[in-house]
């Protein structure tokens, strides 16, 4: 099931573009209560913290994104899906991301490859037992 | 006319009419974004890259052995076809034919092997994920060299010089290895040699480096028409969306409005078929002959996705040495660079796949803009000299 299709079915999809704060590869693990990772607000108070490694992401080379979804200040766990698309071009990536849990709600989205320069829109969905939350954020290599 | 323009670029490095008496900043026509894009097309040459899936990549003895095998006509069932039969060094390792002539029907244009050590996928459909797998493919293909695993192994074992080379490179006699191992090792030696074939620096590279250093006199040596063509390439024309980076290619696959049918009337599935073929092959980076099944390149082979948009998509070719690799496109259907520029100027968007690249639109170039683009494209070639060895 493609993440994009999942996203379309979600009501109240977070549409925040971009995020705040630069990130460094040697940062401490992502946390709900701060740090300098990017932050995207979602629906019902959910928040995505994410950190491309490296930041900004490279063009046409694999990279990873560390992610953490929080609700009420605590990590929200569930099934993650990720996709990235170029809205102006009408296509997504050519490679499926490899998502690996890191513990404490954190996950690593690996093998992301943005094969063209330009504006990419990342889409991340977390489906927890009681809710699903989606986030969109810009990835511009 | 065309040859005259080429001569301006290749014979007169100072570029007659390139701004004699020109003052001011030769790069003033570029926006900040365009400058950044231009700089991202270099520097050249890049550092040599070794293939972790090939244990003899970068090994001098393997490179020498591979170079001899590349020219070896007896590596074919009719003993008349070498790798070099379709990859001619004086044609930037292409053969000048729309589609190559083998022992059976071949439906695709022979791609250059220059800079192939820097590529991610091999073949117009990317059916090989390594250069050694791509080198093995014609040895086995019945329409190409058609020697097969057993035939390749028997030939190496039976030729004293090659058998000695094999034993030196792989530290055991070919007689001690199974046929399949010998054939794969032959392909790995050929790949090791191909990795060393790097195209020389070009007039564009000199301009790009001058732009990086702010050397205006050096920038002026690059013809004004090439500078305008470059602006079109990285700007309004958006050619650099797919043809970007030092190799002038993303290394990925696009549908560009060419005929969907091969000469035998069958549809060429392009990348869609290429991914499936790679996944099914024993000779991919994930298979038993790969020396690295877990590294970044192997992960891409595992993670590549088969999508509907792959239908009819073909590899975005590198534009380095493009003036020497006519005819063009996967089917060789465009005879010269003028035809290529005309194709994108008058692009038939009805022939693009519905879920393909949306930014492809007819460029509608006037005569001067088309000529500028051609002058720029020819500046990506270094002339008729031999390729440089990277090691």
């Amino acid at each position: 099931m493609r993440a994009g299709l999942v996203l379309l079915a979600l009501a109240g999809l977070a549409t925040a573009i971009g995020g705040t704060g630069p990130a460094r590869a040697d940062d401490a693990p992502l946390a709900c209560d701060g740090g300098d990772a990017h932050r995207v607000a979602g629906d019902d108070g959910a928040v995505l913290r994410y950190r491309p490694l490296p930041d900004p992401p490279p063009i046409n080379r694999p990279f990873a994104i560390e992610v953490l979804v929080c609700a009420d200040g605590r990590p929200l766990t569930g099934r993650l899906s990720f996709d990235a698309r170029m809205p102006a071009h009408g296509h997504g990536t050519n490679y499926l991301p490899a998502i690996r849990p890191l513990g404490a709600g954190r996950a690593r989205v690996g093998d992301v490859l943005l094969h063209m320069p330009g504006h990419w829109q990342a889409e991340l969905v977390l489906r927890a037992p009681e809710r699903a939350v989606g986030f969109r954020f810009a990835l511009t290599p | 006319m065309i040859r005259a323009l080429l001569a301006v670029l290749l014979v007169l490095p100072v570029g007659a009419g390139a701004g004699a008496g020109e003052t001011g900043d030769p790069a003033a026509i570029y926006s900040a974004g365009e400058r950044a894009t231009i700089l991202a097309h270099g520097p050249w040459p890049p550092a040599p890259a070794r293939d972790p899936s090939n244990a003899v990549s970068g090994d001098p003895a393997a490179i020498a052995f591979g170079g001899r095998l590349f020219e070896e006509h007896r590596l074919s069932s009719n003993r008349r076809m070498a790798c070099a039969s379709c990859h001619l060094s004086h044609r930037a390792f292409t053969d000048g034919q729309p589609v190559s002539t083998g022992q059976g029907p071949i439906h695709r244009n022979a791609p250059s092997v220059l800079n192939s050590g820097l590529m991610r996928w091999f073949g117009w459909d990317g059916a090989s994920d390594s250069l050694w797998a791509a080198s093995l493919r014609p040895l086995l293909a019945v329409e190409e060299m058609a020697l097969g695993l057993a035939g390749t192994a028997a030939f190496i074992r039976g030729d004293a010089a090659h058998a000695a080379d094999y034993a030196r490179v792989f530290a055991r006699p070919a007689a001690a290895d199974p046929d399949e191992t010998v054939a794969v090792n032959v392909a790995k030696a050929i790949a090791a040699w191909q990795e060393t074939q790097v195209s020389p620096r070009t007039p564009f590279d000199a301009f790009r480096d001058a732009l990086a250093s702010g050397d205006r006199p050096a920038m002026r040596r690059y013809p004004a028409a090439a500078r305008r063509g470059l602006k079109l390439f990285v700007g309004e024309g958006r050619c650099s969306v797919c043809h970007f980076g030092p190799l002038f290619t993303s290394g990925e696959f696009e549908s560009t409005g060419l005929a969907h049918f091969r000469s035998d009337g069958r549809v060429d599935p392009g990348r869609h078929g290429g991914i499936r073929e790679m996944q099914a092959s024993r000779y991919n980076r994930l298979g038993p002959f790969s020396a690295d099944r877990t590294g970044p390149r192997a992960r891409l082979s595992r993670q590549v996705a088969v999508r509907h948009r792959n239908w009819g998509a073909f590899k975005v070719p590198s534009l380095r040495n493009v003036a020497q690799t006519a005819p063009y496109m996967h089917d060789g259907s465009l005879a010269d660079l003028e035809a290529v520029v005309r194709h994108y100027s008058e692009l038939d968007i009805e022939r693009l796949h519905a879920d393909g690249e949306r930014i492809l639109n007819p460029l509608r170039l006037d005569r001067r803009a088309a000529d500028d683009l051609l002058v720029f494209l020819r500046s990506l070639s270094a002339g008729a000299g031999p390729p440089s060895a990277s090691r």
Side-chain angles (χ1 to χ4, degrees), chain B residues 29-298:
Chain B
I29 60 172
Y30 305 121
S31 68
E34 289 167 349
R35 285 181 186 230
T37 303
I38 293 167
L39 294 178
H41 284 82
W44 190 264
R50 294 190 178 178
D51 178 358
S53 74
N54 180 358
V56 299
S57 172
D59 174 63
I63 293 167
F65 183 32
R68 288 187 281 277
L69 291 171
F70 192 83
E71 304 280 348
E72 179 56 83
H73 288 76
R74 293 174 295 169
L75 268 180
S76 56
S77 61
N78 65 4
R79 296 186 161 244
R80 292 200 298 271
M81 284 193 72
C83 305
S85 301
C86 294
H87 301 285
L88 308 169
S89 60
H90 67 280
R91 288 184 177 273
F93 291 100
T94 61
D95 63 5
Q97 305 297 316
V99 294
S100 296
T101 302
Q103 299 193 61
I106 295 175
H107 302 285
R108 301 220 180 114
N109 179 260
S112 174
V113 302
L114 280 176
N115 309 321
S116 54
L118 302 166
M119 302 290 180
R120 179 183 299 146
W121 299 103
F122 302 86
W124 283 103
D125 58 4
S128 300
D129 62 354
S130 73
L131 191 49
W132 57 267
S135 303
L136 181 63
R137 200 168 178 233
L139 290 172
L140 307 185
V142 293
E143 66 274 16
E144 298 188 46
M145 296 158 84
L147 194 53
L149 298 173
T152 300
F155 170 66
I156 295 296
R157 292 179 191 126
D159 182 274
H162 289 323
D165 280 342
Y166 184 100
R168 188 177 308 115
V169 171
F170 297 103
R172 50 191 285 130
D177 279 335
D179 289 352
E180 189 176 32
T181 300
V182 174
V184 169
N185 283 343
V186 162
K188 287 184 173 179
I190 294 172
W193 178 79
Q194 290 177 92
E195 289 168 3
T196 67
Q197 302 306 300
V198 177
S199 62
R201 280 175 60 80
T202 68
F204 165 79
D205 295 311
F207 175 76
R208 181 261 171 211
D209 292 354
L211 180 66
S213 64
D215 184 346
R216 291 184 180 183
M219 280 189 255
R220 288 192 194 101
R221 295 187 196 112
Y222 193 51
R227 279 181 255 152
R228 292 192 302 269
L230 171 57
K231 180 176 176 64
L232 184 58
F233 186 87
V234 300
E236 186 182 353
R238 297 196 284 187
C239 313
S240 63
V241 170
C242 294
H243 294 282
F244 70 89
L247 279 170
F248 282 83
T249 176
S250 65
E252 293 291 323
F253 303 81
E254 299 293 340
S255 166
T256 55
L258 296 166
H260 300 160
F261 293 93
R262 310 188 314 192
S263 56
D264 62 358
R266 299 180 65 181
V267 171
D268 191 330
R271 181 59 171 153
H272 198 277
I275 295 175
R276 292 196 179 282
E277 186 174 332
M278 182 278 294
Q279 289 173 331
S281 174
R282 277 172 59 76
Y283 309 115
N284 64 32
R285 288 180 180 273
L286 307 173
F289 294 95
S290 173
D292 177 17
R293 294 193 281 271
T294 59
R297 297 281 296 274

Side-chain angles (χ1 to χ4, degrees), chain A residues 24 50 53 67 79 113 130:
Chain A
R24 298 186 303 273
Y50 73 96
L53 301 173
V67 298
R79 182 176 162 221
L113 190 146
E130 69 282 7

Side-chain angles (χ1 to χ4, degrees), chain A residues 20-39:
Chain A
T20 56
R24 298 186 303 273
D26 56 352
D27 280 347
L30 294 175
C32 291
D33 57 356
D36 57 3
H38 296 281
R39 180 182 188 278

